[in-house]
């Protein structure tokens, strides 16, 4: 029996509810498949932990996580703890410490769901955003001097390294090469930012030479938003910096029907460290504890995790079960216009998994 060690870090807000739901679905999947096992260990880290212990995760946290095959992460953030504290206390140390430099964000309109764009249905919007996840605008470089004085200066320095850009470009080309349309769009802002961004573009075109079968084009990040809205069918894979991709992926999720559906994988492609899988939506204090969070992003995330672990069949089966439920039109959580609870959608996906044809 194949066996994998999963570190579950539900952390904050609806992260706790949707990871719970995801683990329930994974259990059913595991029982149904019968040939693999997930050994799940829970970590209580997050904002509640911070209030008690003054840190979001234990000091030896990364050391302990190292031995896992994957990390299944909920969301981090709470109303009473500054966002930069929570983010830099838990999620970014894992992404950066484990060199999860490739962030993969698939977006498509799932069967039965409705894009806010008129006339756009399943198949008309099918993208993968590749986000550089280790440096750029999130490198953490910068500082403040003359604090509190009128002369105060704050800098936030975007850092681009040749090695860092090169590896994300290669990753993006390799992924684009595996998709039917084989189209990779370079997202940039090299018209205004003439150092790092020009280097970013140069390395993209250098890398392109090794992938003659991948078509390429280029879009400035501001123009990319227009193209996503007006001509969604002309895009396939996009590669973007840490911040640009952060912004575009929220737009992408909304255009595909709901942020409550969008998954993401933080990958260390060389597998020197565990990779981390999480829904994009964040902790959502406004609906925390109400039991109405959409668990679909967490399920899609789990499917990406299984794929990464090499459990292709189980991954595809889970995706098929999700799509069967979305196609049926119900149950749906409020973000998708329904009135169902998290547990109703979870039950429906479990039932679909147990059904004969998935
Ligand atoms: C994301 C999120 C995070 C980010 C937040 C929670 C800091 O928006 O994963 O897209 O900006 O990276
Ligand atoms: Mg974001």
């Amino acid at each position: 029996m194949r066996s994998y060690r999963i570190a579950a870090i539900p952390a904050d807000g609806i992260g706790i509810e949707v990871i719970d739901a995801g683990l329930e679905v994974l259990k059913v999947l595991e029982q149904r498949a019968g040939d693999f096992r997930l050994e799940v260990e829970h970590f209580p880290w997050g904002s509640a932990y911070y209030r008690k212990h003054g840190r979001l995760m234990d000091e030896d946290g990364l050391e302990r996580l190292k031995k896992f095959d994957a990390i299944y992460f909920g969301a981090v953030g709470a109303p009473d703890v500054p966002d930069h504290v929570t983010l830099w206390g838990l999620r970014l140390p894992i992404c950066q410490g484990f060199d999860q430099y490739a962030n993969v964000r698939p977006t498509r309109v799932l069967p039965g769901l409705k894009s806010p764009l008129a006339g756009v249905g399943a198949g008309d919007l099918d993208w993968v955003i590749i986000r550089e996840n280790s440096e750029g605008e999130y490198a953490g470089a910068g500082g403040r001097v003359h604090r509190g004085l009128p002369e105060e200066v704050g800098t936030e320095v975007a850092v681009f390294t040749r090695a860092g850009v090169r590896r994300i470009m290669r990753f993006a080309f390799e992924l684009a090469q595996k998709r039917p349309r084989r189209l990779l769009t370079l997202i940039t802002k090299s018209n205004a930012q003439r150092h790092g961004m020009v280097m970013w573009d140069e390395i993209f075109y250098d890398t392109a030479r090794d992938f003659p079968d991948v078509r390429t084009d280029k879009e400035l990040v501001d123009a990319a938003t227009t193209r996503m809205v007006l001509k969604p069918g002309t895009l396939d894979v996009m590669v973007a910096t840490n911040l640009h991709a952060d912004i575009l992926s929220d737009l992408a999720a909304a255009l595909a029907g709901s942020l409550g559906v969008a998954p993401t994988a933080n990958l260390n492609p060389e597998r020197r460290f565990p990779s981390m899988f999480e829904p994009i939506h964040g902790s959502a204090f406004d609906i925390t504890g109400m039991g109405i969070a959409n668990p679909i992003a967490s399920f899609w995330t789990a499917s990406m995790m299984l794929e990464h672990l090499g459990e292709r069949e189980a991954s595809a089966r889970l995706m098929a079960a999700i799509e069967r439920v979305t196609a049926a039109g119900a149950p749906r959580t409020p973000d998708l216009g329904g009135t169902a609870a998290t547990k109703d959608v979870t039950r429906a996906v479990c039932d679909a998994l147990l059904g004969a044809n998935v």
Side-chain angles (χ1 to χ4, degrees):
M1 169 106 70
R2 297 180 299 276
S3 166
Y4 307 96
R5 301 199 59 190
I6 308 295
I9 312 179
D12 294 343
I14 62 167
I16 296 168
E17 301 160 49
V18 299
I19 292 301
D20 226 40
L23 291 173
E24 192 178 328
V25 161
L26 282 168
K27 190 99 230 142
V28 170
L29 194 59
E30 188 186 317
Q31 278 160 2
R32 168 147 186 198
D35 54 3
F36 74 91
R37 218 158 53 99
L38 302 176
E39 284 172 43
V40 181
E41 193 176 318
H42 286 260
F43 290 84
W45 300 331
S47 297
Y49 197 82
Y50 174 77
R51 282 181 215 109
K52 238 166 125 188
H53 305 279
R55 2 183 1 113
L56 276 111
M57 72 193 281
D58 292 330
E59 214 158 333
D60 63 349
L62 286 189
E63 213 36 57
R64 285 167 60 195
L65 288 175
K66 237 184 210 157
K67 54 179 190 285
F68 286 84
D69 295 303
I71 302 164
Y72 190 34
F73 191 90
V76 66
D80 59 332
V81 186
D83 285 340
H84 65 274
V85 171
T86 47
L87 187 65
W88 283 96
L90 186 57
R91 186 168 162 274
L92 285 181
I94 299 175
C95 287
Q96 297 192 345
F98 287 164
D99 206 16
Q100 295 164 347
Y101 64 85
N103 183 246
V104 180
R105 303 192 157 192
T107 315
R108 60 192 168 84
V109 183
L110 296 181
L113 297 194
K114 226 171 112 46
S115 166
L117 299 174
V120 170
D124 301 322
L125 186 164
D126 184 355
W127 304 328
V128 181
I129 297 178
I130 306 296
R131 173 179 183 180
E132 199 297 313
N133 212 34
S134 65
E135 52 179 34
E137 309 86 343
Y138 280 53
R144 285 169 73 172
V145 290
H146 309 309
R147 247 179 212 266
L149 299 176
E151 300 76 16
E152 182 164 1
V153 179
T155 59
E156 196 74 52
V157 182
V159 176
F160 295 94
T161 64
R162 180 164 287 276
V165 177
R166 177 117 197 127
R167 64 187 186 174
I168 196 66
M169 294 306 178
R170 285 207 80 80
F171 182 89
F173 273 98
E174 278 163 13
L175 191 136
Q177 200 172 39
K178 292 192 201 107
R179 307 225 331 148
R181 285 191 290 156
R182 292 198 202 140
L183 169 64
L184 178 62
T185 301
L186 168 67
I187 305 292
T188 185
K189 193 63 196 173
S190 52
N191 56 341
Q193 298 187 309
R194 61 202 167 125
H195 307 300
M197 286 281 80
V198 171
M199 185 179 90
W200 169 264
D201 293 3
E202 282 170 13
I203 297 173
F204 175 85
Y205 288 111
D206 266 5
T207 312
R209 282 198 230 118
D210 296 339
F211 297 88
D213 54 340
V214 176
R215 283 182 299 137
T216 61
D217 65 4
K218 171 178 156 187
E219 207 63 77
L220 296 172
V221 64
D222 45 348
T225 59
T226 320
R227 182 161 160 199
M228 287 165 75
V229 172
L230 299 179
K231 295 182 185 161
T234 67
L235 289 159
D236 180 15
V237 183
M238 293 170 247
V239 62
T241 69
N242 218 327
L243 181 62
H244 291 169
D246 174 40
I247 298 165
L248 293 185
S249 57
D250 267 28
L251 173 62
L255 295 178
S258 171
L259 197 57
V261 172
T264 189
N266 300 282
L267 300 180
N268 173 248
E270 291 75 27
R271 295 171 188 259
R272 282 173 50 222
F273 300 102
S275 293
M276 178 160 69
F277 300 82
E278 60 178 337
I280 288 187
H281 51 59
S283 40
F285 326 126
D286 53 332
I287 57 162
T288 296
M290 291 166 70
I292 55 164
N294 191 343
I296 289 180
S298 173
F299 300 160
W300 192 344
T301 296
S303 165
M304 291 179 85
M305 180 166 79
L306 289 168
E307 194 189 336
H308 178 77
L309 293 171
E311 294 297 334
R312 294 246 152 72
E313 205 183 308
S315 161
R317 198 178 278 166
L318 175 51
M319 213 51 224
I322 293 169
E323 291 184 27
R324 173 172 295 195
V325 171
T326 58
R332 277 192 184 161
T333 45
D335 59 302
L336 292 174
T339 54
T342 311
K343 65 173 180 0
D344 302 325
V345 180
T346 307
R347 187 71 262 147
V349 172
C350 290
D351 288 347
L353 280 172
L354 294 168
N357 310 320
V358 173

